[in-house]
Amino acid sequence: MTTLENGKNVAPTVTTGPITGSRKVYHHTENGLRVPVRRIDLSNGGHFDVYDTSGPYTDPDVTIDVHNGLFRTRSGWLDGREHNTQLGFAKAGVVTREMEFVAARERVSAEFVRAEVAAGRAVIPVNRKHPESEPMIIGKNFLVKVNANMGNSAVWSSVEEEVDKMVWATRWGADTIMDLSTGKRIHETREWILRNSPVPVGTVPIYQALEKVDGDPAKLSWEVYRDTVIEQCEQGVDYMTVHAGVLLRYVPLTANRVTGIVSRGGSIMAAWCLAHHRESFLYTHFEELCEILRAYDVTFSLGDGLRPGSIADANDRAQFAELETLGELTHIARAHDVQVMIEGPGHVPMHKIKENVELEERLCGEAPFYTLGPLTTDIAPAYDHITSAIGAAQIGWYGTAMLCYVTPKEHLGLPDRDDVKAGVIAYKIAAHAADLAKGHPYAQEWDDELSKARFEFRWTDQFNLSLDPDTARAYHDETLPAEPAKTAHFCSMCGPKFCSMRITQDVRKYAEEHGLSTLDAIEAGMQEKSAEFTESGKQVYLPVVQP
Ligand SMILES: C[C@H]1O[C@@H](n2cnc3c(N)ncnc32)[C@H](O)[C@@H]1O
Ligand SMILES: Cc1ncc(COP(=O)(O)O)c(N)n1
Ligand code: SF4
Ligand SMILES: [Zn+2]
């Protein structure tokens, strides 16, 4: 690994050790692959296993050394596999080890995984040069995934912080991360992230290409771009955002928008097209690009350079014209055996969300949709993880395969690690809510486990089964920190006398003690009350006793 440029060579400090209340367990597949799960041990002697994105960092048996990077688990899987892709294998009827691995993670058959990849309805982003990552799948017939963006900017830059954010995001459940660095030491930052990332890493190569030409879009060229893409493929980037749908003739369609072009990549390409009055080199050289990505099995994330950046601009002609072009490019990429997903908006009010999914599926042959939110209103800067998680839950329900998080700092500044966690948790909620609504066979089991723990006042189990056990416990501790409170039949919300779940349990106990079913108990209780009512002279309103 390269040393850090600041000469001090400060090792990035990252968070290690299990998430509170759980431990890493490995399942072994038929062919001996080790598939991680996070096991939550319960106080009633049971346990519950959940999907685990956190990689070796949460395994106490692994020694983490960020200078050496993670163990290259997949390097042994890659022999003799040059120049073919997961899509190529899937089409040829071959089940790869990556497919077997994700099948175990998703609890489906490997053949189902193969068929979904072959149809282009799912992608497994795995650059052959990123053997540290654990394979995962993105597709609407699998668990909804979450991506976390990070990376430096010209205003704030630190390799250490970005590596820390990557580990932190995956700890809380990010399925992929994107390094969107635009500041100094882009190559080096990405190298540190890649060598230490247990999840696929995405980038937007045009950002680094622009940096190479001193930030002047007019100076960009296919050659500079191509060399940047190859450099990033060689490093191990798993998927790349390519804004090849921003065509010269679409740029005027944004002229009357409230917020113009909000995509960075989109605005850079629009500037290039106008400066040269030529068609985008991403579009004219698209087949060459396919051949480069194919050699590494890098997945396209066809960028939405004309996505709406405000409620007013949602679903306009510019946005949907670009989507049509992305559909055309999807079919070209697939013919080259290159995996494809499609990036989506942005800012969209709730009533305009569904149309986005329907159009995307129709135009892009059901390629996995990967959307930024969408934000369902513009009026809450500082809370855009919420405005967007609302849209994300909906769009996920309609069939979006991966949700790109938005943090509380959106529109305001570069997110720090706290923002990263807030964004990831908000999006884990949205993704899981979508899984539930889609009727995913295992999604509800998690809810049911937590609900049971809650009803039985197994407070510790309730904390540990939650997406954020530390915060759940800390909130309970704020008012009732003592150990006996962790089994008490109430919390400080209602107190002991008004705890409805405690009262329900009493009703059930009453029924049991009197040999009645709960319904009978209610009936019996009602008769008792009715007798009291008759005795009191059948008055509906009792006289108020003056103090
Ligand atoms: C496309 C989305 O990418 C996010 N984005 C862009 N750059 C960064 C960064 N360095 N860190 C985190 N998020 C970023 C913004 O939230 C934008 O909305
Ligand atoms: C879902 C999604 N959409 C877009 C981008 C790229 O950002 P930009 O288009 O601003 O360059 C991204 N990283 N993720
Ligand atoms: S987030 Fe900030 S830098 Fe990015 S487009 Fe908006 S105002 Fe510009
Ligand atoms: Zn925005």
Side-chain angles (χ1 to χ4, degrees):
M1 184 94 58
T2 53
T3 53
L4 296 180
E5 207 178 56
N6 58 19
K8 284 180 279 177
N9 199 17
V10 185
T13 49
V14 296
T15 309
T16 57
I19 289 175
T20 307
S22 61
R23 62 197 161 94
K24 175 92 70 186
V25 167
Y26 295 95
H27 289 171
H28 295 265
T29 69
E30 247 173 64
N31 298 315
L33 303 180
R34 265 180 13 140
V35 180
V37 296
R38 185 160 75 83
R39 176 158 294 175
I40 302 164
D41 290 306
L42 303 174
S43 63
N44 63 7
H47 62 78
F48 190 71
D49 289 348
V50 300
Y51 193 101
D52 184 7
T53 58
S54 62
Y57 298 96
T58 49
D59 184 343
D61 297 334
V62 175
T63 309
I64 297 294
D65 175 2
V66 285
H67 288 276
N68 287 320
L70 296 175
F71 184 73
R72 303 178 152 229
T73 315
R74 268 181 36 254
S75 50
W77 301 10
L78 305 168
D79 313 332
R81 296 239 315 254
E82 268 91 301
H83 311 303
N84 211 340
T85 63
Q86 296 295 319
L87 178 55
F89 284 117
K91 282 185 190 169
V94 177
V95 171
T96 62
R97 272 177 272 204
E98 286 82 356
M99 294 175 200
E100 184 184 332
F101 190 96
V102 302
R105 282 187 117 169
E106 302 270 346
R107 298 197 263 174
V108 296
S109 75
E111 170 52 27
F112 180 71
V113 170
R114 188 205 60 75
E116 290 292 297
V117 173
R121 218 168 13 245
V123 296
I124 302 176
V126 275
N127 185 329
R128 296 190 287 105
K129 303 241 170 178
H130 186 202
E132 297 90 349
S133 83
E134 296 170 348
M136 51 80 71
I137 193 161
I138 304 166
K140 70 171 176 176
N141 292 320
F142 299 93
L143 289 165
V144 175
K145 302 304 188 294
V146 171
N147 168 69
N149 288 333
M150 53 206 65
N152 68 20
S153 77
V155 179
W156 189 263
S157 169
S158 146
V159 173
E160 296 83 359
E161 278 179 51
E162 298 314 322
V163 173
D164 174 50
K165 282 184 205 171
M166 178 276 291
V167 174
W168 192 235
T170 56
R171 180 179 184 83
W172 297 113
D175 294 283
T176 75
I177 65 109
M178 289 191 84
D179 175 9
L180 300 180
S181 292
T182 52
K184 291 201 186 87
R185 294 148 65 195
I186 295 179
H187 181 101
E188 192 186 0
T189 303
R190 189 170 55 235
E191 182 67 14
W192 277 89
I193 289 175
L194 275 164
R195 299 288 73 83
N196 288 291
S197 176
V199 301
V201 175
T203 60
V204 186
I206 199 83
Y207 299 172
Q208 191 187 2
L210 184 68
E211 216 257 338
K212 288 180 183 175
V213 295
D214 309 319
D216 180 356
K219 288 200 214 147
L220 281 166
S221 64
W222 160 248
E223 288 72 23
V224 171
Y225 182 78
R226 177 200 58 205
D227 292 349
T228 308
V229 167
I230 293 171
E231 171 187 338
Q232 298 197 8
C233 285
E234 279 290 329
Q235 266 187 305
V237 170
D238 299 284
Y239 65 91
M240 294 182 186
T241 296
V242 179
H243 300 84
V246 180
L247 300 188
L248 178 59
R249 66 177 181 278
Y250 298 159
V251 179
L253 299 178
T254 64
N256 294 320
R257 279 181 161 186
V258 170
T259 48
I261 301 176
V262 297
S263 156
R264 271 186 203 159
S267 62
I268 294 164
M269 288 317 298
W272 186 90
C273 290
L274 291 187
H276 297 275
H277 208 83
R278 273 170 56 196
E279 195 49 277
S280 158
F281 56 79
L282 299 176
Y283 184 79
T284 56
H285 289 268
F286 191 72
E287 301 221 36
E288 280 171 81
L289 203 49
C290 289
E291 281 311 299
I292 297 167
L293 267 59
R294 191 176 74 101
Y296 299 84
D297 199 0
V298 171
T299 299
F300 271 119
S301 185
L302 294 179
D304 53 346
L306 299 181
R307 69 172 174 273
S310 53
I311 292 299
D313 295 343
N315 294 15
D316 70 356
R317 269 184 67 213
Q319 188 198 333
F320 288 156
E322 180 189 39
L323 189 57
E324 250 175 64
T325 302
L326 297 187
E328 178 198 324
L329 297 171
T330 300
H331 297 294
I332 295 171
R334 281 182 184 169
H336 288 264
D337 286 350
V338 181
Q339 306 187 87
V340 182
M341 49 187 179
I342 304 291
E343 287 180 10
H347 293 240
V348 185
M350 292 202 292
H351 60 289
K352 293 191 176 178
I353 289 179
K354 197 170 186 211
E355 188 184 359
N356 277 275
V357 181
E358 287 168 350
L359 258 184
E360 189 274 343
E361 289 191 348
R362 185 160 61 74
L363 294 171
C364 306
E366 295 187 288
F369 206 17
Y370 168 32
T371 61
L372 180 66
L375 288 76
T376 51
T377 170
D378 294 340
I379 66 163
Y383 297 89
D384 279 329
H385 57 315
I386 297 176
T387 62
S388 67
I390 292 168
Q394 274 201 11
I395 209 162
W397 182 11
Y398 295 139
T400 288
M402 183 153 78
L403 307 172
C404 181
Y405 85 177
V406 171
T407 75
K409 291 282 166 65
E410 185 73 9
H411 307 112
L412 302 171
L414 195 71
D416 62 19
R417 84 196 300 267
D418 293 342
D419 304 313
V420 165
K421 180 174 175 183
V424 170
I425 299 285
Y427 274 67
K428 293 302 280 185
I429 296 168
H432 184 78
D435 289 334
L436 274 173
K438 286 165 71 177
H440 189 285
Y442 300 110
Q444 199 183 325
E445 285 182 7
W446 192 345
D447 294 76
D448 294 349
E449 282 297 335
L450 193 143
S451 304
K452 275 185 259 169
R454 177 176 286 155
F455 190 68
E456 292 167 13
F457 298 103
R458 288 183 276 119
W459 290 99
T460 301
D461 290 348
Q462 185 185 167
F463 306 149
N464 293 346
L465 283 161
S466 75
L467 285 176
D468 182 358
D470 302 332
T471 306
R473 174 179 284 273
Y475 283 7
H476 191 261
D477 279 355
E478 268 180 25
T479 49
L480 293 169
E483 198 45 42
K486 307 305 169 189
T487 50
H489 286 202
F490 66 93
C491 75
S492 63
M493 175 70 85
C494 311
K497 293 266 193 282
F498 284 84
C499 176
S500 50
M501 293 203 302
R502 198 268 303 153
I503 296 169
T504 308
Q505 290 190 353
D506 289 352
V507 170
R508 290 188 178 177
K509 205 161 143 235
Y510 177 94
E512 211 177 297
E513 283 168 6
H514 292 76
L516 307 164
S517 73
T518 311
L519 271 176
D520 292 340
I522 291 167
E523 182 71 16
M526 273 163 52
Q527 268 162 21
E528 265 174 46
K529 286 283 169 211
S530 154
E532 275 173 31
F533 181 59
T534 311
E535 272 162 33
S536 67
K538 298 192 176 178
Q539 286 167 283
V540 175
Y541 301 102
L542 297 176
V544 175
V545 180
Q546 298 292 337

